[in-house]
Amino acid sequence: MRKFCVEYDVEAESDIEALTTWVAEKTSIEYSQHYVNHIFDEIDALSYLAPILPKSSYGLPKLYHPEANTFLIGNKKLTVIFHIDGEYVIVDKMLPSVLIKF
């Protein structure tokens, strides 16, 4: 099984930071760290799942990269937009899933 290294674009890192802040405001700092660690664990699954996921047919992911793929996480509440570049899976953006289908 081929394994990729998962890297984050600056925009994706900003999305994760915003998510952490939002969850901390709604709950607690401790819970937000737990939640974000769970999100990172789900995204890390791309290290072996990325090549089998189909290319996105939606227009929004293609704005981030022409070969964009999507991956639903957080009980399908978040969509991770990513692409494969050599031995790397590059996470380009994280968005609420309701925004993807246009």
Side-chain angles (χ1 to χ4, degrees), residues 5-59:
C5 182
V6 178
E7 295 288 329
Y8 295 85
D9 185 81
V10 174
E11 199 166 348
E13 288 176 349
S14 175
D15 295 337
I16 292 168
E17 185 177 314
L19 178 64
T20 304
T21 302
W22 184 81
V23 172
E25 289 172 358
K26 302 294 181 197
T27 59
S28 68
I29 293 172
E30 294 81 20
Y31 181 77
S32 70
Q33 286 295 1
H34 172 74
Y35 183 77
V36 170
N37 286 340
H38 181 70
I39 294 298
F40 278 126
D41 289 344
E42 288 189 72
I43 293 172
D44 282 344
L46 287 172
S47 67
Y48 56 89
L49 289 176
I52 64 170
L53 295 172
K55 301 281 185 262
S56 178
S57 60
Y58 298 116

